[in-house]
Every structure is written in C-alpha cells, then in structure tokens.
Amino acid sequence: MKYYLAIDIGASSGRHILGHIRDGKMQLEEIYRFHNGMSEKDGELCWDYESLFTEIKAGMKKCSELNKIPVSVGIDTWAVDFVLLDKENKVLGNTVGYRDGRTKGMDQKVYECISEVDLYRRTGIQKQIFNSIYQLMAVKENHPEYLEKAETMLMVPDYFHYLLSGIKKTEYTNATTTGLVSPDTKNWDYDLINQLGYPRQIFREIKEAGSVIGGLTEEIQKEVGYNCEVILPATHDTGSAVLAVPSNEEDTLYISSGTWSLMGIERIEADCSSNSREHNLTNEGGYEYRFRYLKNIMGLWMIQSMKKEIKEDYSFGEICEMASKETIESIVDCNNDCFLAPKSMSEEVQKYCLNTNQVVPKTVAETAAVIYNSLAKCYQATIEEIEELTGRTYGKIHVIGGGANAEYLNQITARDTKRTVLAGPVEATAIGNLMVQMIQKKELENLESARNCVYESFEIKKFDA
C-alpha cells in the first residue's frame, strides 16, 4: 500500500495527515497535530519557523513509529509571507507575519512606482495591504540592509521544502499571491520587480504544483528514519483546498471556509479588467495553471478570535448552536480592516455596531450571531458580484474546509443566498495536497478522476435554500 503525507499548516495549528487509496476511495489518518500562532518580537508580530520545522520533523518521524512510510511528502501553508535568506542561507531579520502593521502606508510607496490600476492590470491580484509586494516595500523602507544581503526569497512552504530537501524552488500557486507574477507568462514580472527596486536575483525559479523537487537530505533522513520524495502540492492552502471541491461541473462556486473565507470559481484565463479590480476580486494561480477567481472575506477568524477572549470553554459547535437561537439583526462589514488584528474582536464588533447605530451585542451568543449573519450577508453580496462579472448564474455553493462543520452558518448562507449549500469535505486542504501527490505518482489519473474520488470518499451535507 502506498502512503502519501500531507503537512497542512494553518494560522493556528498544523497537522500531518497520511493518505492512501483503498477500494477506489481516499482514506485519511491524522497522525500528528501541533500549535501555531504569531507572537510579538521586537514590536513585530512574528511566526516561529524554527519551532514549526521541529514539529514538521516530529510528525514525519511518527510515520516511522507507525511503520507507515510515505512515498512522498508535501507542505502547504497560508500565503503572502516569506523569508529572505543570505548567502549562507540564514534568515535575515524577524519572521514577520501578515497581520503585523509594518505594511501601513506601503501601498502608497508602491504606487509611487506603479499605479494601482496598472498593478492590477499586470498581475490580477486584489489589493490587500498584507500582500507580499507591500511587505517587501516595508522591508525596503525599514530594513534596506536585508534586501542588500539577500540571496533568496522563499515563500513559507518553499522554505520548509528547502529545509527538507536542500533545494530552493518556488511553487506557482503561492507565488501568485505576492502580486509580482504575470498571469500571462506564469512567471515573475521582472519589469515590475525592477520598477519597485526589489533585487531581481532573490526570486527563484517557479515550478508548477506536482513537481518533484528531490528527496530528503541525509540529515533529515537520519532524523525521521526514512527517505521519500518531496513533491510540491498547491502550496497555498487555498489552492489545495479548491482542488478538493467535489465537482467537475463548469459553473462551480465554492467557499473555502476557515480562518479566511475564500469565495469564487475556477477560470482558465485571468480577468484583469478595471471592472474586476473595482469589485476587488483576485486571480490567484491554481493547479494546472487554472485561476482561482475569488474574493477574500475575513472568515471564521472573527469567531476564532472571539472564542479566545471568553472565559467559558465553549466548543465551536456550541458557539454555533448558541448563535442559532439569537434574534439580533445587527450586521458588520466583515472585510473592514478593524477586524484584521484587533486587541479584542468582541469589543471591535460591539464598537462597530455602536458607531453604525445598530443593536450592540452583549453576550457571547449575540456576538457570534452578528458575526455569522454578517458572513452570510457578505457571501450573498459576493455571489452577486461574481455573477455580474462572469455573466453566469450559480445555483449551489460548495463549502469546503473547517467551516463545512458550521451548520448554522451553512443554513443561513443557504437562506440568504437562496442557493443550495453542499458542505464538505472538511479536510479539503489536506485532501487537495494529497490529490496532487497521488496524481503525480499515477495513483489517480487526473484532476477530474481525483475530484470524482473525493465525491465518493467523503461526506457531503446538503442545506436547502
């Protein structure tokens, strides 16, 4: 039996999931889980990549202990964050995360070099102040010595793949989130990079998802107890999740629901038009050079943050159930920057309601209800935008990822959008990661057959409009 290892690292946790095919269905086994999060260092919000890599190796070693040795491994993480390495391959500066405030005002610095309109026309990537293009400008403005010393820029999963294999490559789906890749050439836009004054040589070769980059280094082999191939999945976790949408229909609308809600469709060609830019939709790269035409919505980050603040040890399911019994009608703009990294999410929601002359939520249940109902309203508005831009209609929504378990949110999404909601699979990101590895190793024939396999293998819940 062939085992494949997906290492899926999100903003709050990571896990190692072994996958294999049995009787035509994909089987999953979570063998290791670990914590992740940002903490303050020198006044900046940072990730602890050293600790994360220790956890990566510990989970891989677990395969040896279980005597389930994978033929390949692939890592996916969140997007936009990166490391700069010097000529000795040491990380330059702090490993700053995307929620840090260092990018404030950096959009205007970028627009001194290229207009916002021209930037979208060239890259098709929606403006988000934490995009890599603005983070790099923050480095250039505040720590130009890092760029002077830098030999390599690697996105987070590419950095971990390098630590495993000793080989530096940049995977396509995540590279596109930098705002520095051309949707036409599928490569770095070096003219844009030159305009911005970023050192050209730090940008490594871009490889397509499914590329084999090598085996484990001898040092890593000794630590984990085996060798296997390192295969690039869609290293952007949303890129992997969208692969697991259990549908081969042309007009498939999805929400990759987790810390963020990524709502959109797949396209063969990018839409870099002014109309698309004005609606703030993005054209992120996907598997086989498809495009994930979607909008980033704040997502369950708001619920996750609120949960950390309350004294009671409620589960997410309990919070969902409590919210379903409330009648409060207040709505907040989920995409407002005030919800990106507030000191208190509950207080920020209350403040927003107060400032907009709405009923202020007073309890955990009321606050959760406001958040869930606001997400559903945001989904409704986004569908209308996508239908306007594509000239198509979408009768159902596939909800994948952890949010597929949020039954109340799925119910009100169906109600407010007047569309059928199909929820599942929950482990979409890990499944998509495994799909790419299995296709590369000929265990699955192609993307179409892989999606059929997902449909047959995992529970899909239906919520009627």
Side-chain angles (χ1 to χ4, degrees), residues 90-370:
K90 294 180 179 178
V91 175
L92 291 160
N94 290 334
T95 49
V96 183
Y98 64 87
R99 292 191 189 275
D100 183 74
R102 67 174 175 169
T103 53
K104 185 177 180 180
M106 293 302 141
D107 50 344
Q108 297 310 311
K109 291 290 183 181
V110 167
Y111 302 150
E112 290 174 10
C113 305
I114 182 171
S115 71
E116 185 176 354
V117 172
D118 285 344
L119 181 61
Y120 188 87
R121 179 180 54 79
R122 289 177 72 147
T123 68
I125 299 299
Q126 73 177 120
K127 179 183 177 180
Q128 296 181 110
I129 194 60
F130 49 73
N131 285 352
S132 313
I133 186 174
Y134 305 117
Q135 291 200 50
L136 280 166
M137 185 58 72
V139 175
K140 180 184 173 186
E141 290 292 311
N142 300 322
H143 295 284
E145 70 276 14
Y146 296 161
L147 287 180
E148 290 171 8
K149 295 177 182 177
E151 293 283 326
T152 308
M153 184 193 86
L154 291 175
M155 307 301 285
V156 174
D158 299 323
Y159 176 57
F160 291 142
H161 284 138
Y162 157 66
L163 294 179
L164 288 178
S165 68
I167 299 171
K168 299 173 184 175
K169 299 293 181 184
T170 299
E171 189 275 322
Y172 170 70
T173 66
N174 212 353
T176 64
T177 70
T178 62
L180 296 167
V181 172
S182 166
D184 298 322
T185 66
K186 315 297 190 295
N187 200 356
W188 298 112
D189 185 334
Y190 286 108
D191 288 340
L192 172 60
I193 287 166
N194 290 338
Q195 279 181 252
L196 295 165
Y198 302 155
R200 178 190 181 105
Q201 75 278 2
I202 69 174
F203 298 93
R204 291 285 170 154
E205 178 187 9
I206 293 178
K207 300 291 286 186
E208 187 177 2
S211 299
V212 179
I213 61 172
L216 304 178
T217 66
E218 289 186 8
E219 180 182 351
I220 298 298
Q221 289 179 47
K222 289 177 183 177
E223 287 196 59
V224 303
Y226 58 87
N227 191 17
C228 67
E229 288 187 326
V230 179
I231 295 178
L232 298 179
T235 60
H236 182 193
D237 51 11
T238 307
S240 278
V242 169
L243 281 168
V245 174
S247 171
N248 284 302
E249 295 179 9
E250 184 177 353
D251 293 326
T252 298
L253 184 70
Y254 58 78
I255 303 174
S256 178
S257 180
T259 300
W260 291 89
S261 288
L262 297 310
M263 187 174 194
I265 59 173
E266 276 190 325
R267 302 185 68 149
I268 301 301
E269 295 183 356
D271 181 353
C272 301
S273 67
S274 297
N275 198 20
S276 180
R277 180 185 64 81
E278 289 166 5
H279 284 86
N280 207 28
L281 270 81
T282 198
N283 297 269
E284 294 176 352
Y287 183 64
E288 293 182 335
Y289 295 125
R290 291 169 168 81
F291 290 95
R292 290 174 284 123
Y293 189 57
L294 57 83
K295 174 167 280 192
N296 282 297
I297 300 165
M298 196 68 73
L300 294 174
W301 158 253
M302 298 178 73
I303 292 290
Q304 293 164 358
S305 299
M306 184 200 75
K307 183 177 183 294
K308 291 179 182 178
E309 298 163 6
I310 59 181
K311 296 178 181 178
E312 298 84 358
D313 188 24
Y314 295 126
S315 69
F316 287 114
E318 288 171 331
I319 292 173
C320 223
E321 177 65 22
M322 290 161 56
S324 70
K325 297 175 181 177
E326 298 297 327
T327 57
I328 188 169
E329 296 182 354
S330 301
I331 298 295
V332 301
D333 176 6
C334 297
N335 290 327
N336 193 294
D337 285 346
C338 68
F339 300 121
L340 183 62
K343 291 183 178 179
S344 168
M345 185 63 73
S346 301
E347 290 178 7
E348 205 64 47
V349 170
Q350 292 168 346
K351 188 191 304 182
Y352 188 101
C353 292
L354 180 65
N355 291 341
T356 52
N357 299 315
Q358 299 183 85
V359 176
V360 177
K362 296 182 174 61
T363 66
V364 170
E366 286 184 341
T367 305
V370 170

Side-chain angles (χ1 to χ4, degrees), residues 399-412:
V399 177
I400 54 175
N405 278 333
E407 293 207 3
Y408 175 57
L409 178 57
N410 293 328
Q411 288 168 356
I412 60 176

